[in-house]
Amino acid sequence: MKSNFSSLNTITTEPYNAETPHAALMKDITPTDLFYVRNHFAVPIIDAGDWALELGGAVEKPLQFSLLEIQKLPPKTLNVILECAGNGRSTLNPAPNGTPWNLGAVSQARFIGTSLNNLFKELTISRDAIEMLFVGADQGTTRTKQTTTYARSLPLEVALHPDTMLAWEMNGEPLPLQHGYPLRLVVPGWYGMASVKWLRQISLLRERFEGFFQKVEYVYVGESGIPDGTPVTSMRARALIVEPSPEAILPAGEVQLAGIAWSGEGSITRVELSFDDGATWLEADLETARYPYSSQRWKFNWNMDIPGQYTITVRATDSRGNFQPLTQRWNKGGYGNNKAQQVTVSIN
């Protein structure tokens, strides 16, 4: 699926990381060439003909699966929004270390694959297994000068949820190399770090995994109200203003504001806007979620005849009562920052 929008916004070149232009997010599916790219290391080159997925650890008998064997398992299709855990990091003050994402490290795609639990229907998992480890083919040197591969674990109840899937297709085409070819994990509702790309190995663990990307990165440290070391998991509620763009000059009269909202912990139940820095709020029209794990569009007709500069604030609330704060959620890694977005525009 190709786009009719502008190109990705490059954030870093080595490794390559890039954001989705917000205009592309109003579609049910983000065009593949505009889906945000998150790499920790250089992209590995994989020959699907020689590739195999290894299953081992705390199981009765280790197994290997070819891509063709996996593709013969019962298929599943899911529309899923993925967001980088560091999305919005550059807006924090002081700015934490890490990839300086703005607010474009989010996209949604239609993934085709199979439920991960289909691989385990004929396997006996040890009763003392507590986690499932996923190892990618990408490897390199971390900021602490460790040489490692990208690896993450999930609690068994999350890994074996029927919607946690192994995906080989994205938006009607085989997975692009940048997005995990030939096979990736997709964990709906969780920040993108859980959806390991270029998957090559799955292991059942009897102890908690303590790799670099599990215990050093992707944990909350220094955030008020959260114990240090708390893992980053579900996406926090967030709304984005897509139209108008920041610094836009708008005509006096009625203007339609529009955007999207999402949460990893439930559907969005309310999107509100403020034109007085949060003193008062007005509710936007919110579309019902089209798919369980996708974003929801919202719109609001704003009538303003007085010329001048205005700051528009937007916030979302989800079905579990989670809502966006008006002040930043600062933490050392810059994760999960879902401060209510503000966009400044001018009426002429």
Side-chain angles (χ1 to χ4, degrees):
M1 177 185 292
K2 295 294 183 181
S3 66
N4 296 317
F5 302 100
S6 58
S7 61
L8 286 166
N9 303 318
T10 299
I11 302 300
T12 64
T13 56
E14 293 184 7
Y16 180 63
N17 289 289
E19 295 186 337
T20 298
H22 282 183
L25 296 175
M26 294 300 289
K27 300 290 185 180
D28 285 341
I29 294 176
T30 306
T32 303
D33 60 328
L34 293 182
F35 197 100
Y36 86 96
V37 176
R38 175 52 169 131
N39 293 319
H40 295 86
F41 306 122
V43 174
I45 305 301
I46 299 173
D47 182 346
D50 296 332
W51 176 91
L53 180 64
E54 301 176 3
L55 268 68
V59 294
E60 188 176 81
K61 180 182 177 181
L63 292 176
Q64 279 193 347
F65 290 85
S66 69
L67 183 61
L68 184 59
E69 288 173 325
I70 294 173
Q71 290 174 332
K72 289 180 179 179
L73 294 170
K76 175 177 281 289
T77 300
L78 285 177
N79 281 36
V80 178
I81 187 165
L82 291 179
E83 180 185 15
C84 181
N87 194 27
R89 180 182 285 127
S90 68
T91 68
L92 291 169
N93 184 25
N97 293 326
T99 305
W101 296 110
N102 297 308
L103 286 171
V106 59
S107 310
Q108 49 192 357
R110 177 171 293 132
F111 291 104
I112 293 180
T114 191
S115 293
L116 175 62
N117 62 21
N118 285 327
L119 288 185
F120 294 90
K121 288 184 177 178
E122 298 182 9
L123 281 177
T124 300
I125 298 174
S126 297
R127 291 185 178 181
D128 54 353
I130 60 172
E131 286 191 344
M132 199 176 293
L133 175 65
F134 303 88
V135 182
D138 50 331
Q139 57 185 324
T141 303
T142 70
R143 60 178 175 81
T144 57
K145 308 305 179 185
Q146 295 175 251
T147 299
T148 187
T149 57
Y150 187 79
R152 290 272 313 175
S153 69
L154 290 173
L156 281 190
E157 63 270 21
V158 177
L160 296 177
H161 187 282
D163 290 340
T164 298
M165 66 185 296
L166 301 174
W168 56 77
E169 188 173 299
M170 177 180 178
N171 294 344
E173 299 175 345
L175 275 175
L177 183 59
Q178 286 279 10
H179 296 295
Y181 174 87
L183 192 75
R184 73 173 296 168
L185 184 68
V186 176
V187 186
W190 281 46
Y191 282 111
M193 80 280 151
S195 295
V196 178
K197 300 190 288 185
W198 309 293
L199 193 61
R200 64 178 179 85
Q201 185 181 63
I202 300 174
S203 295
L204 276 296
L205 304 182
R206 294 182 173 91
E207 297 180 349
R208 302 294 180 194
F209 177 59
E210 296 193 352
F212 179 82
F213 294 103
Q214 192 85 20
K215 296 295 288 186
V216 180
E217 300 282 13
Y218 299 116
V219 292
Y220 292 111
V221 176
E223 181 169 322
S224 177
I226 296 181
D228 284 354
T230 298
V232 175
T233 57
S234 303
M235 294 182 293
R236 291 169 167 173
R238 189 194 289 277
L240 281 182
I241 298 171
V242 175
E243 300 169 1
S245 58
E247 310 304 327
I249 299 175
L250 307 175
E254 188 170 272
V255 175
Q256 186 173 90
L257 313 180
I260 62 169
W262 68 93
S263 172
E265 300 201 4
S267 61
I268 296 297
T269 56
R270 186 165 66 251
V271 171
E272 299 168 290
L273 295 113
S274 176
F275 303 91
D276 52 14
D277 293 322
T280 59
W281 294 90
L282 299 171
E283 193 164 343
D285 294 324
L286 178 66
E287 286 190 4
T288 302
R290 298 183 179 219
Y291 305 96
Y293 302 110
S294 66
S295 65
Q296 295 168 240
R297 289 188 285 261
W298 61 265
K299 62 183 179 180
F300 181 86
N301 292 325
W302 182 37
N303 199 323
M304 177 53 64
D305 293 321
I306 303 173
Q309 191 174 76
Y310 295 88
T311 297
I312 307 168
T313 306
V314 65
R315 70 179 181 187
T317 301
D318 69 20
S319 53
R320 292 194 177 183
N322 302 304
F323 61 90
Q324 293 180 258
L326 297 182
T327 56
Q328 66 179 11
R329 293 186 174 188
W330 193 94
N331 57 73
K332 189 175 180 181
Y335 300 126
N337 168 39
N338 67 336
K339 175 187 174 184
Q341 184 199 13
Q342 292 187 314
V343 169
T344 300
V345 300
S346 296
I347 302 292
N348 67 7

